[in-house]
Amino acid sequence: GAGVSQSPSNKVTEKGKDVELRCDPISGHTALYWYRQRLGQGLEFLIYFQGNSAPDKSGLPSDRFSAERTGESVSTLTIQRTQQEDSAVYLCASSLDGLETQYFGPGTRLLVL
Amino acid sequence: EDKVVQSPLSLVVHEGDTVTLNCSYEVTNFRSLLWYKQEKKAPTFLFMLTSSGIEKKSGRLSSILDKKELFSILNITATQTGDSAVYLCAVFGNEKLTFGTGTRLTIIP
């Protein structure tokens, strides 16, 4: 596709439920990043994929968060047993060969009630 | 711990004014510094800087990096209401981007 796409664009869930967020990077981009942005705060790095492997998972806030990437394309970020503090916009970005210029998707706005 | 600090946190100016946004950083294994403009949800890429002293320009926007003093500035001349946004600075190092909290710029018509 022309750009990074994410789905769903909005998600409202109840506390304790699991959610899965999807990211489709720009075709041919080998690097993929997940970020979280809470209301009024800066971007928070979550995880980085180079191909299908994740050399840096240091940003994942707890073991309720996991991410995978298959076929060097689509990535899913899963949050288990959601908590209200998980409410945020989750942004995905991709870059070519892990170069620094990252192109962001529109984000998924998650609201945990 | 890697750190990126932006100033001011917010700025309100009149249309036509010139603004300078600041970004200082402490990042190990520095590779580059990036500026983004964020409106609504997703940031849009403005500049990537890797070398000191070389100004990058795009229309009314320009940016320069000082790797000795560990900072960058983003200049916007002849501001317009469409420039109102949060401007994010990020530094790439250690295989990840570290973001500042941004400068919220508001342009009054």
Side-chain angles (χ1 to χ4, degrees):
Chain A
V4 178
S5 61
Q6 292 185 244
S7 62
S9 54
N10 291 281
K11 176 73 177 178
V12 181
T13 191
E14 293 178 348
K15 179 180 171 182
K17 301 276 189 179
D18 297 352
V19 296
E20 193 171 275
L21 312 180
R22 177 187 168 109
C23 172
D24 282 273
I26 293 172
S27 178
H29 280 195
T30 62
L32 186 148
Y33 306 78
W34 282 100
Y35 298 90
R36 175 170 73 177
Q37 184 169 19
R38 290 192 171 119
L39 187 65
Q41 299 185 19
L43 279 172
E44 178 186 2
F45 170 81
L46 298 179
I47 189 169
Y48 155 66
F49 286 93
Q50 181 59 48
N52 293 337
S53 65
D56 190 348
K57 302 179 183 179
S58 63
L60 292 176
S62 75
D63 59 8
R64 297 185 296 105
F65 286 72
S66 62
E68 64 176 24
R69 188 180 185 196
T70 55
E72 291 199 357
S73 58
V74 172
S75 176
T76 54
L77 176 69
T78 301
I79 309 173
Q80 296 177 310
R81 304 181 303 280
T82 51
Q83 304 293 314
Q84 288 180 332
E85 64 262 26
D86 298 334
S87 297
V89 175
Y90 289 82
L91 288 161
C92 173
S94 71
S95 72
L96 184 65
D97 295 334
L99 295 176
E100 297 86 348
T101 304
Q102 296 183 15
Y103 297 88
F104 282 83
T108 293
R109 189 180 302 277
L110 175 66
L111 178 61
V112 182
L113 300 176
Chain B
E1 183 183 342
D2 296 338
K3 189 164 62 174
V4 176
V5 178
Q6 292 185 244
S7 63
L9 291 179
S10 67
L11 187 58
V12 181
V13 300
H14 288 94
E15 199 168 21
D17 289 350
T18 293
V19 297
T20 298
L21 311 183
N22 303 291
C23 175
S24 64
Y25 62 91
E26 294 174 24
V27 173
T28 54
N29 301 314
F30 173 90
R31 289 174 66 182
S32 63
L33 184 144
L34 298 95
W35 284 97
Y36 291 88
K37 178 182 181 182
Q38 185 174 17
E39 301 168 280
K40 300 177 184 177
K41 283 197 295 189
T44 53
F45 172 77
L46 295 175
F47 297 109
M48 181 176 75
L49 303 158
T50 56
S51 302
S52 273
I54 298 175
E55 185 182 52
K56 293 221 172 174
K57 283 182 70 75
S58 176
R60 295 177 294 103
L61 278 67
S62 63
S63 183
I64 197 162
L65 173 68
D66 186 328
K67 288 168 74 173
K68 182 180 176 185
E69 300 298 330
L70 307 183
F71 78 91
S72 173
I73 59 172
L74 174 68
N75 278 321
I76 309 175
T77 60
T79 51
Q80 302 171 358
T81 54
D83 296 328
S84 295
V86 174
Y87 289 82
L88 291 167
C89 172
V91 177
F92 196 90
N94 298 319
E95 300 297 323
K96 67 181 182 184
L97 276 177
T98 301
F99 281 85
T101 53
T103 293
R104 182 175 297 278
L105 177 64
T106 303
I107 310 298
I108 301 171

